[in-house]
Amino acid sequence: MDDVLVLARLQFAITAIAHYLFVTLTLGLVTHLVVMQTRWAVTGKAEHRRQARFWGRLYLVNYALGIGTGIVMEFQFGLVWSGLTHYTGNVFGAPLAIETLVAFFAESTLLGLWIFGWDRMGRVLHTVVLWLLALTAWSSVYFVLAANGFLNHPVGYEIVGGEVRLTDFTALLTNTNALSAAAHIASGAMVTGSFFVVAVSAWHLRRRTGHEEFFWSSMKLALPLAPVFVALTAALGGWQIGFSVEQTPTKYGERSPETAGLIRDFTARFGPDTYLPPGISRTAEVLMVMGALFMGALAILGVLFLAKRNLMRRKVLLWLLTAALVLPYLSNVSGWVFREVGRQPWAVYGVLKTKDAITPGLTAGTVLASLLVFGSLVAALVLVDWALLLRLARRGPDDNLADLSGRSDDPEGRAAAAGLPRPSTDAPSTVRTS
C-alpha cells in the first residue's frame, strides 16, 4: 500500500504541476492581452492591433496545449483517487462540474469567436469578446480553487451514511481558504504574465532584431507591473497564511500546545500517523520566498533603467530579464507544492486521509504504468508548448504572418494565397483595421 500511495501521489504531483505551468501563463497573458486589445479598441491604432495579435498567438498556443494536461489530470480522479470521489464527490465534484461547463463550453466558444473574429467583427465587439473570455478563464480557476479549498478547509457539509453530503453551497463558494488562495494565485499569475512579456521583449531588444519599437512598447506595459504584482502576491500570501494557520495549523510544523492538542485528537480519531508535513514542504516555502525576492529586486532594477530608454543600452540587465522567466514558475510551483504537501497526510483535512482516498485494489505495477503513460504525455505537451512558444516569440511580429484564423494581415499575402495578382503598391491600402 505504501508503494501504491507514493506512486499515486507522484503521478498526481507531476500532472498537477505540469498543468499549473500552463494555467499560470494563460491567466497572466490573457489579462495583458485584454489591456493591449482595449488600447486598440479605444485608439484604433494599427500598432496596438498588431501587438494584440502577436501576443494573442502565444496565448493561444499555451491555452490549447494546456487543455491536454487538464484532461489528463481529470482522468486520475476516477482511475486512481476513486476513494476521494466516492466519499466526498457530492461536495468536491460540484464546483468541478461547474468549472467544466465554464471552461469547455463558454470559454471555448468565446475563444473561437475571438480567433475567427479578426476582420469579421468591429474592434469594439471583438474586444468585448476577449474581455468575456478573460472573465470566464478567471471564473474557471475560482471554481477549481473552491474544490481545492474544501480539501484544505472543509465547510458546508455533513457525513450521512458514510458519505460526505453538501449542505451549504454558499459556504463552499465563500470558503475563506479558497478566497485567499484565489487572490494569491491570481496575483502570482499576473507576475508570470508580466515576466513572460518582459522576457520576450528583452530578448528582442538585446539582439536588435528589427522590432525594437514594437517590443519597447510591450516592455513599457509589462515591466512596471511586475514589481507591483510581486509585492501584491507577497501581501496576499501573508493574508492566506493568516487563514491557513487557523484552518490547517499542522501545515507549518509548529509544535505549539494547540498543534500538539490537535495531533492528539487526530490520533484518537484516526489512529497513529505522521501528522506534521514532510521537510519538502518547508523547502518549497523557502524557494517560493527566494524566487519572489529575486523577482522583486530585478523588476525594480529594470524599472529604474526603463526611463529615457537606458534599459535598451544595458545588455546584461536585458539578459537577466530574459533569464528571469524561470523565477515566476519556480515561485508558483513551489507555492503550490507547499500548499498541497503541507496538507499531508490528509486528502480532506481532518476528514479523509490520503491513503484512504486511493482506489481500492490498485497494485504498484498498475499505478507505475499509468504514471509512465501520463507523465510522458504531459512532458511531451510541455515540451511542444515551449518549442512553439520559443519559435513564435523569436520570429516576432512579422507583417506577413497570418492571423489566428489563417487570414493574412496584408493584401499582398491574401492575393498570393488565393493565386491572384498582387495589388499595386501605388494604390491606397484597403486593409481593414477594425
Side-chain angles (χ1 to χ4, degrees):
M1 180 62 185
D2 289 342
D3 292 340
V4 172
L5 180 60
V6 170
L7 290 171
R9 289 182 59 193
L10 179 61
Q11 174 180 292
F12 195 81
I14 291 172
T15 54
I17 288 173
H19 183 57
Y20 191 46
L21 294 176
F22 288 87
V23 170
T24 186
L25 178 58
T26 296
L27 294 176
L29 196 53
V30 74
T31 308
H32 283 78
L33 192 58
V34 164
V35 176
M36 295 172 185
Q37 184 158 334
T38 300
R39 293 197 302 184
W40 169 56
V42 173
T43 66
K45 291 183 178 180
E47 57 265 29
H48 292 157
R49 181 178 191 265
R50 188 164 170 249
Q51 191 176 52
R53 289 164 67 112
F54 171 73
W55 295 107
R57 292 185 184 96
L58 300 176
Y59 159 74
L60 179 60
V61 167
N62 192 75
Y63 178 94
L65 292 171
I67 291 176
T69 59
I71 293 174
V72 170
M73 191 171 66
E74 291 285 349
F75 273 129
Q76 295 175 82
F77 288 120
L79 296 175
V80 181
W81 301 101
S82 64
L84 172 66
T85 56
H86 289 165
Y87 188 60
T88 65
N90 290 320
V91 181
F92 179 69
L96 290 182
I98 297 174
E99 187 275 336
T100 300
L101 292 174
V102 171
F104 288 95
F105 289 91
E107 190 176 355
S108 58
T109 300
L110 290 168
L111 181 64
L113 289 172
W114 183 71
I115 292 172
F116 295 101
W118 295 99
D119 299 322
R120 292 180 174 89
M121 296 181 183
R123 64 174 184 265
V124 174
L125 179 58
H126 193 251
T127 302
V128 169
V129 170
L130 181 61
W131 272 89
L132 294 175
L133 173 62
L135 290 174
T136 55
W138 284 107
S139 63
S140 175
V141 169
Y142 179 72
F143 285 116
V144 171
L145 288 173
N148 182 263
F150 175 79
L151 301 183
N152 285 274
H153 178 52
V155 295
Y157 76 98
E158 63 180 0
I159 299 177
V160 180
E163 291 184 355
V164 174
R165 301 284 180 87
L166 180 63
T167 60
D168 191 343
F169 189 60
T170 301
L172 181 67
L173 294 183
T174 58
N175 187 347
T176 52
N177 191 284
L179 289 171
S180 59
H184 182 58
I185 288 174
S187 185
M190 288 302 300
V191 172
T192 305
S194 296
F195 269 86
F196 181 83
V197 175
V198 166
V200 175
S201 300
W203 187 87
H204 280 274
L205 292 174
R206 182 173 61 88
R207 297 176 67 94
R208 306 286 183 177
T209 58
H211 303 290
E212 284 80 11
E213 289 299 326
F214 178 92
F215 287 105
W216 182 248
S217 176
S218 298
M219 179 73 80
K220 289 191 297 182
L221 170 66
L223 185 55
L225 295 177
V228 174
F229 281 109
V230 169
L232 182 60
T233 302
L236 291 172
W239 182 52
Q240 183 182 10
I241 287 174
F243 288 111
S244 296
V245 168
E246 182 179 331
Q247 296 165 355
T248 54
T250 55
K251 176 181 291 188
Y252 300 91
E254 300 173 356
R255 298 183 181 275
S256 63
E258 292 78 8
T259 302
L262 184 60
I263 291 175
R264 285 195 298 270
D265 178 62
F266 285 159
T267 303
R269 292 167 55 198
F270 297 95
D273 207 332
T274 304
Y275 289 103
L276 294 177
I280 189 177
S281 175
R282 300 313 294 263
T283 302
E285 184 183 19
V286 172
L287 290 175
M288 174 183 64
V289 173
M290 289 179 60
L293 290 175
F294 280 118
M295 281 189 293
L298 189 57
I300 291 173
L301 185 62
V303 170
L304 292 177
F305 285 103
L306 188 63
K308 298 181 180 179
R309 299 200 173 209
N310 287 336
L311 182 60
M312 293 184 70
R313 297 193 294 269
R314 308 290 175 173
K315 293 292 186 71
V316 174
L317 183 54
L318 289 173
W319 183 89
L320 288 174
L321 288 172
T322 302
L325 181 56
V326 70
L327 293 177
Y329 287 103
L330 173 66
S331 287
N332 275 287
V333 169
S334 297
W336 188 252
V337 169
F338 173 65
R339 176 176 173 84
E340 295 304 291
V341 175
R343 189 174 72 242
Q344 297 305 312
W346 300 104
V348 183
Y349 194 81
V351 176
L352 178 68
K353 285 188 175 182
T354 305
K355 65 181 181 181
D356 297 324
I358 293 287
T359 299
L362 283 179
T363 64
T366 301
V367 181
L368 178 60
S370 64
L371 168 62
L372 294 175
V373 172
F374 287 151
S376 300
L377 182 57
V378 297
L381 289 171
V382 170
L383 291 175
V384 170
D385 178 54
W386 278 97
L388 291 175
L389 288 177
L390 288 173
R391 181 179 179 182
L392 290 174
R394 288 177 175 177
R395 179 187 296 175
D398 295 341
D399 292 334
N400 294 332
L401 196 64
D403 72 14
L404 296 176
S405 63
R407 295 163 60 89
S408 175
D409 282 344
D410 67 319
E412 292 190 6
R414 293 182 188 179
L420 300 174
R422 294 187 176 186
S424 171
T425 57
D426 296 330
S429 174
T430 58
V431 180
R432 295 175 59 188
T433 59
S434 63

